[in-house]
Structure formats: C-alpha cells, structure tokens
Amino acid sequence: MILRTILLTVFGVAFIISGMTRPQDLNVGDKASDFSLANFEGEMISFDSYDDAKGYIVIFTCNNCPYAKGYQQRIAELHDKYVSKGFPVIAINTSDSKDEITQRAKEMNYPFVYLYDETQKVTRAYGATNTPQVYVLKKDRTVAYIGAIDNNYKDANAADKHYVQDAIDALLANKEVKIFSTKAIGCSIKWKNI
Amino acid sequence: MPNFKHQLFLFMSTKFFTFYFSPNNNKFHIRFIKKSRMISWQLKQSAYKSRYICVLISLFFYVTATAQKAELIKSAELFHMLGQCSAKNKIEVYNFWATWCAPCIREIPQFEAVNKLYEEVNITLISLDDADELNNQVNMFITKRKLDSKVVLLDETDFNEIINRVDTNWSGAIPATLIVDCRNGKRTFYEGEFKENELKYTIEKLLNSP
C-alpha cells in the first residue's frame, strides 16, 4: 500500500513536471537564432540567403494538419504580397518527410521556401507549439509578432483581424506592433524521439 | 422366432404407411398435404414475427446507440459550462480534441475508462472540429467508438481569446485537458497527450488528496 502511494506520487510529480516544462523559449522582443536548413532542392537556406530583406515571416507548418492546410493558400498570398516589400515567407515544416515536403511544394507551386527541419532543432529553439505558427522578425531578427495569421482558420474572407499583415504593415511604417501575440488552435507538433 | 402377432403388426404398419403416404390421390394424402402447408405457413408466420421482433430490437439498439449526438455550443456556453459544477463532490474533466487529431484519438479510451471507473468524475469531450463536420465526422466517431462521455462541438472560428480564457498556459495545441476539482475549485490544465494510465493516476491523486 505504502509502495503504491509512493509510486503514484512519483508518477504524479513526474507528470506535473513534464507538463510544466513545455518549450516556450522565444518571446516577442527576443532575438531569433539563425538556422541553416535545406529546401526541397537541397539548397541550404538561412537568414543570410536574403540580402535585401527588411524582415522575415517565419512560419512553422506541416502538410496534413487541417489548420495548416486551411492556411497554405494564405501563406502563399502573404509571400506574394510582402516579398517585394522586403518580408519573405520562410516556411519550416515541423514533422513531414523530405519527400512529402517536396511533393507538396511542387504540387502547390509554393512561391516561398519550404524547409525541412529534420532534427526539429529549429522548431524547438523557437518554441513553436502548434501549426501553423507565425514569427514575424525584424531585420535584426528580433521577434515582433508570434501567433496566428488571422482570426478565421476556416474562411479567409470572413477573417476581420489580419494579425500578420497588421504587424508587418506597422513595421514597414516604423510604427509599434499593436497586437504582438495571438493564439490559435492548431495541431500540436509531433516531436520525434531523437 | 417372430410370432404371428408380430408378423401381423409389421404387415399392418407397412400397409398403413404405404396407404397414408402413397402418392395416389386419396383423401388422407390431401389432408396430409394441407396440413403440411398449414404448418409451413404457420412456421413462416412465426418466422416473420420473430424477424419483426429482431428488427424492432435492432432498431431500439440502433436508436439508443446513436442517441448520443454532439451538441453545438458557442463560446458563451463553453465558459458557462467551465464555470459550473454538476455537484460539489465532482471532478469535472474537459478535454479539447478533434477527429483529425491523432494524439487526441489515441487518448480518448483513457477518458472513457475514467468515466466508467469513477462515479465522482464527469467527462466532457469538447470537439474543435469544423461545425460543418458535425454529422460526417464527430457523430460518426461517437457512434463508431460507442462513446459514453458527453460530447459537445465548439462552433467557433476565432480562438485567440477563447484559448487564454480557458487557461493562460494553453498554446492552442490539442489535445488539451482542463480538470476542475469541484470540492475546492482547483483548476489544473494539461497540454498534450496523456500517456497510458496517466489520466487515471492524475484522477486518483486528486481523489486521494483531502
């Protein structure tokens, strides 16, 4: 009986601790670390690959999550709208295989880079929790915004708060980003056991 | 050695049988046919009757099996629900899940087991599926898995404020579970999948605590 109680307590405490230490490392105002990840053509991409960037839209996403799927078109539109203004989209796939990523990028004719984070080191370093999750970075790589693209996962036209666009527009106009953090339902990132 | 009586009995019985069952049209034969038809008709009737009863029974089971259908709720109803206890001695467990979420589906048997095992525990599975998928996905899933726990579908598209109101520690990833101990009002929030028996340990720990 005593043994059982001790075991239960140990399990309980271990569980609570495991629940508390969720990766939530990068916050707004922090400087994001650089990375070097391969796109599907094998080319290594890092922040230095963009010479004239004024900032970056880093998006953690995956192929099959319904929320990520619902946003894939909007991610392409974000890139098309802001790449010429100096904010390219850098999409990082958190959990699919290289073949799956290549296939999706070709199928959808993605205008943005779609990177393969094999070891999930970058995803962990940023503390991404669910997909799709956006980090808007300034030129010096300080985080200006973390969260959702807009406030309607289902219907882009019904969204009336365009968080990412508003954040970038504010940065481009040298204004303060008013809403710098939002939350959205998303698929929890499948962590690999490495 | 067979005696005369025996001989006679044999003779008579063969005679009787050939008479009674002979294909010739005698009245006994007709009566036999009629009777057999009647028996088969009666059999058929009783077969229909039993089939009818079977259909009724299966219909009853079908109705009771699909009686549980997820109710659509809005965020106002969600927070009303989260703020209430069905009884003071209860532990209310709210699990946020979706049919497309593999880890959520994996842990659902744990919620079902806890629901059956502890009378003090109330489980509510809050589906975050698209409301358009209520029948195709959610109710289908309830029927297929024969879920006993209460299921509701949160019909919302903007979760930014909802997530923080459920718990400020919630990133928005599912599965996520909120446990409210009605005896002391204590709320515990878990993000991520419960590994095997983890939910049971958590509940037992709560029940054993004063």
Side-chain angles (χ1 to χ4, degrees):
Chain A
M1 186 62 204
I2 295 166
L3 192 73
R4 196 168 151 247
T5 324
I6 291 170
L7 266 178
L8 269 180
T9 321
V10 168
F11 268 115
V13 168
F15 175 62
I16 287 164
I17 289 170
S18 75
M20 285 193 308
T21 54
R22 217 163 30 79
Q24 187 60 270
D25 303 325
L26 202 58
N27 289 311
V28 172
D30 291 348
K31 196 167 173 178
S33 54
D34 201 357
F35 53 79
S36 184
L37 295 172
N39 69 2
F40 64 90
E41 283 157 328
E43 190 189 345
M44 298 307 280
I45 304 285
S46 64
F47 289 127
D48 294 336
S49 312
Y50 300 89
D51 290 334
D52 43 5
K54 290 176 184 157
Y56 311 89
I57 311 170
V58 179
I59 305 179
F60 292 92
T61 188
C62 64
N63 278 0
N64 298 317
C65 166
Y67 281 79
K69 268 185 171 170
Y71 274 109
Q72 56 189 6
Q73 189 58 41
R74 277 177 258 184
I75 293 172
E77 284 164 13
L78 261 182
H79 179 80
D80 286 342
K81 186 172 176 185
Y82 287 104
V83 70
S84 56
K85 294 177 180 171
F87 278 81
V89 164
I90 303 171
I92 298 174
N93 183 298
T94 56
S95 42
D96 298 301
S97 76
K98 203 169 185 178
D99 289 345
E100 287 166 332
I101 295 166
T102 308
Q103 200 190 344
R104 179 61 57 89
K106 283 182 177 167
E107 230 172 61
M108 295 293 295
N109 204 8
Y110 280 157
F112 51 86
V113 295
Y114 196 22
L115 307 177
Y116 173 47
D117 185 15
E118 189 180 3
T119 58
Q120 296 185 315
K121 263 188 189 158
V122 179
T123 311
R124 280 179 203 274
Y126 278 67
T129 50
N130 46 321
T131 58
Q133 194 166 358
V134 184
Y135 290 74
V136 175
L137 310 181
K138 295 179 192 169
K139 193 178 174 60
D140 63 356
R141 304 203 306 257
T142 47
V143 181
Y145 171 84
I146 301 178
I149 290 173
D150 57 36
N151 70 339
N152 194 315
Y153 79 90
K154 210 170 139 185
D155 180 4
N157 296 323
D160 56 5
K161 287 173 189 162
H162 303 276
Y163 305 122
V164 169
Q165 292 192 32
D166 292 350
I168 300 168
D169 289 344
L171 289 179
L172 285 171
N174 276 324
K175 283 182 184 162
E176 186 194 350
V177 176
K178 277 183 189 152
I179 302 174
F180 51 79
S181 170
T182 60
K183 285 179 177 180
I185 295 295
C187 307
S188 54
I189 289 165
K190 256 185 274 169
W191 298 109
K192 296 172 184 170
N193 295 317
I194 299 173
Chain B
M1 187 187 141
N3 55 23
F4 175 73
K5 268 186 186 169
H6 193 196
Q7 289 281 338
L8 188 74
F9 174 73
L10 271 178
F11 175 77
M12 288 296 283
S13 57
T14 36
K15 261 284 177 236
F16 175 77
F17 271 98
T18 46
F19 178 68
Y20 200 88
F21 293 106
S22 69
N24 304 327
N25 53 342
N26 56 57
K27 59 178 181 182
F28 284 105
H29 180 69
I30 287 164
R31 198 180 288 166
F32 173 75
I33 297 275
K34 269 188 180 165
K35 194 156 191 186
S36 70
R37 267 188 197 158
M38 183 124 117
I39 287 167
S40 77
W41 183 79
Q42 276 175 339
L43 275 174
K44 234 184 235 173
Q45 284 303 304
S46 63
Y48 282 142
K49 222 178 260 175
S50 61
R51 205 175 293 168
Y52 182 65
I53 289 166
C54 274
V55 167
L56 267 183
I57 290 171
S58 58
L59 206 71
F60 172 76
F61 275 111
Y62 181 76
V63 167
T64 47
T66 53
Q68 145 98 312
K69 279 207 186 322
E71 181 198 347
L72 283 182
I73 61 164
K74 285 287 188 184
S75 63
E77 291 156 284
L78 170 78
F79 291 115
H80 180 74
M81 184 171 79
L82 296 186
Q84 270 199 332
C85 278
S86 54
K88 271 198 171 163
N89 61 341
K90 290 268 182 190
I91 291 176
E92 303 276 350
V93 178
Y94 303 99
N95 172 246
F96 294 87
W97 69 291
T99 54
W100 46 258
C101 161
C104 305
I105 303 304
R106 267 202 303 271
E107 67 171 4
I108 276 184
Q110 288 196 54
F111 287 94
E112 284 285 289
V114 164
N115 194 35
K116 279 205 182 86
L117 211 58
Y118 306 103
E119 213 180 296
E120 309 92 318
V121 179
N122 257 354
I123 306 273
T124 309
L125 303 173
I126 302 164
S127 155
L128 302 180
D129 281 89
D130 187 336
D132 294 340
E133 303 287 347
L134 176 69
N135 281 318
N136 283 343
Q137 297 291 334
V138 183
N139 285 335
M140 272 281 274
F141 183 83
I142 294 171
T143 312
K144 211 172 104 190
R145 295 290 186 99
K146 301 184 180 75
L147 295 190
D148 271 339
S149 309
K150 185 185 171 192
V151 184
V152 295
L153 190 152
L154 183 57
D155 178 18
E156 292 288 352
T157 45
D158 184 355
F159 285 96
N160 183 34
E161 279 166 27
I162 296 174
I163 290 167
N164 277 333
R165 264 186 79 183
V166 171
D167 197 281
T168 47
N169 288 324
W170 186 14
S171 75
I174 53 173
T177 304
L178 176 70
I179 301 179
V180 182
D181 190 339
C182 297
R183 297 167 304 176
N184 51 22
K186 211 178 138 199
R187 295 157 83 95
T188 329
F189 185 79
Y190 299 92
E191 182 169 319
E193 180 188 349
F194 283 102
K195 298 295 169 222
E196 208 180 341
N197 287 328
E198 225 172 40
L199 180 67
K200 207 179 141 202
Y201 288 133
T202 312
I203 295 294
E204 268 179 19
K205 200 170 165 269
L206 272 180
L207 288 172
N208 291 335
S209 67

